[in-house]
Amino acid sequence: MISKDIREQIIALVHKEVVPAIGCTEPMAVALCTAKAKEQLGCKPEKIVALLSANILKNAMGVGIPGTGMIGLPIAIALGALIGKSEYQLEVLKDLTPEALEEGKQYITEDRIDIRLKDGKCDKLYIEIIASAGDRQETAIIAGSHTHFVSGDASYARTAASDEDDEIALNMRLVYDFATTAPLDEIRFIEEARTYNMNAAREALKGNHGHNLGKTIDRPLAKGIFGNSIYSHIISRTASACDARMGGAMIPVMSNSGSGNQGICATNPVCVYAKENENTEEELLRALMLSHLTAIYIKQSLGKLSALCGCVVASIGSSCGITYLMGGDYERICYAVKNMIANLTGMICDGAKPSCSLKITSGVSTALLSALLAMEGKCVSQDEGIVDDCVDKSIHNLTSIGAEAMCKTDDMVLNIMTSKKH
């Protein structure tokens, strides 16, 4: 049994990393930083300069901004300056009204916003907003995580000691033991993830969002291909929530490690499988905690933003959760992790956008396949690729590729994205 002190540290970590968000977290973080700079200024800014890391820029260029029918950073920054409240955190724009939207559009046409790539070395998650009015100027900086404000001036380039330095260091055994043995009352809060993210899937089906992938999978032609099965229901409910989020629907989701898509991917496959497999409520809650905490563990060494698509991380979590719901023990869950790493390593992140639902579907499909193989006692061996006998070493092999080896890939992706003619 894990000690109460360790359990409390893990619970605090999950509370910190699994939080509600409206819209894609990167533009929302930029809007949040803008709102903070505006509040420090004490009035509506006449001019805003946004200095952003490459990864923030990449993830905010092509995604829908909730309730606006528009994409990208200008409208997020404008609304952050006009109606954003920093106390709302990643729900910073929830007070949006039609009048505010029109004012935001006007703010953009007046050429008040200047968006640039931050010069020099900075954190992969770095946002610096300089707001000015007359001869007054205020700067707000977020670095390290999507809501972590740091002190410094405009020359600040790298967050020093962040809150993450005090986080408990996870490993797969600790993740499994906590999820499967912690008193149920201590982890029941993870049910909120189901409430938010399954609701997002239901609400998405009422409209047309993104590429409508979730709705497409529910249609007769797709049913003739995929069948009316647990598999088709899982990918439909997961893709639908992503369609809505990336398409700019005003629907909150429960995020994981700063990503709404990761939160959806760690939640919905587990919830759908548990319902259709008739698992107990306790089994579902423990599977959800296992899924979310696995994703958090992997992100500890990968970082909040990287060149590796977040669906790889979250799908590993959901594969663990589904394996548990199938009756898998720790050994089988480790098999599922290794099977996932053998398959999805190298999937690039080319920004947040409506087509993220396609990547999520690939991840969830692989999660199910990996779980099934694991339950059959099948596991990719250490003689194959980057998989190691040790599950934790396998995970760190994955994250070292995503955090280090794929940096040049990340640069190329951003270069391609910013060089396209529209």
Side-chain angles (χ1 to χ4, degrees), residues 8-310:
E8 287 175 352
Q9 290 181 63
I10 295 174
I11 289 167
L13 176 60
V14 177
H15 275 303
K16 177 179 162 226
E17 298 293 357
V18 181
V19 297
I22 295 177
C24 177
T25 45
E26 276 71 54
M28 289 306 103
V30 176
L32 172 62
C33 199
T34 305
K36 175 67 83 173
K38 180 262 310 252
E39 290 163 3
Q40 292 172 181
L41 191 65
C43 63
K44 182 172 80 173
E46 296 171 3
K47 184 76 176 177
I48 295 172
V49 177
L51 305 175
L52 310 174
S53 64
N55 287 78
I56 288 288
L57 198 59
K58 179 183 72 173
N59 278 354
M61 287 173 59
V63 70
I65 306 303
T68 68
M70 301 170 71
I71 65 169
L73 283 166
I75 190 62
I77 291 172
L79 293 175
L82 296 171
I83 56 99
K85 293 181 180 177
S86 63
E87 65 195 74
Y88 291 165
Q89 298 283 285
L90 292 178
E91 295 179 285
V92 58
L93 301 184
K94 69 179 181 180
D95 287 342
L96 179 63
T97 63
E99 295 75 22
L101 177 57
E102 290 309 309
E103 189 180 355
K105 291 177 180 178
Q106 180 63 31
Y107 196 86
I108 294 170
T109 62
E110 292 169 356
D111 198 27
R112 296 178 181 273
I113 300 170
D114 182 10
I115 301 169
R116 308 177 201 163
L117 188 64
K118 173 70 177 178
D119 289 333
K121 195 173 184 180
C122 67
D123 199 283
K124 286 187 176 182
L125 198 166
Y126 183 87
I127 303 162
E128 181 176 326
I129 300 294
I130 305 166
S132 58
D135 60 355
R136 294 171 53 241
Q137 178 177 294
E138 289 289 341
T139 299
I141 299 172
I142 285 175
S145 67
H146 292 78
T147 58
H148 183 229
F149 286 97
V150 298
S151 59
D153 55 25
S155 65
Y156 184 92
R158 193 169 188 83
T159 177
S162 75
D163 296 337
E164 294 176 10
D165 294 335
D166 299 324
E167 285 179 359
I168 183 169
L170 299 172
N171 58 64
M172 201 63 219
R173 183 82 230 189
L174 181 58
V175 167
Y176 174 83
D177 287 347
F178 174 81
T180 57
T181 67
L184 200 60
D185 285 347
E186 292 184 9
I187 64 170
R188 192 174 295 280
F189 67 89
I190 200 66
E191 187 175 18
E192 273 195 292
R194 172 177 65 174
T195 302
Y196 272 87
N197 294 347
M198 290 302 291
N199 180 64
R202 286 188 292 271
E203 289 297 312
L205 296 176
K206 298 176 183 178
N208 292 307
H209 305 288
H211 296 294
N212 278 325
L213 180 58
K215 292 178 79 171
T216 299
I217 294 167
D218 265 347
R219 287 172 179 156
L221 175 61
K223 280 187 165 60
I225 298 170
F226 297 111
N228 188 17
S229 61
I230 296 177
Y231 170 73
S232 65
H233 298 163
I234 285 174
I235 59 175
S236 172
R237 300 303 176 266
T238 309
S240 292
C242 180
D243 284 332
R245 180 173 175 271
M246 293 289 96
M250 202 71 171
I251 300 172
V253 301
M254 190 67 81
S255 64
N256 180 298
S257 304
S259 167
N261 281 349
Q262 285 172 194
I264 291 166
C265 198
T267 303
N268 291 21
V270 176
C271 292
V272 175
Y273 185 87
K275 181 179 179 181
E276 303 216 8
N277 194 49
E278 298 183 354
N279 288 97
T280 66
E281 187 75 2
E282 177 175 348
E283 288 169 337
L284 169 60
L285 293 177
R286 295 195 182 283
L288 278 175
M289 181 57 72
L290 177 61
S291 178
H292 277 273
L293 195 55
T294 299
I296 292 168
Y297 164 40
I298 297 171
K299 294 293 278 189
Q300 281 188 329
S301 55
L302 181 63
K304 288 289 191 295
L305 297 177
S306 75
L308 188 69
C309 176

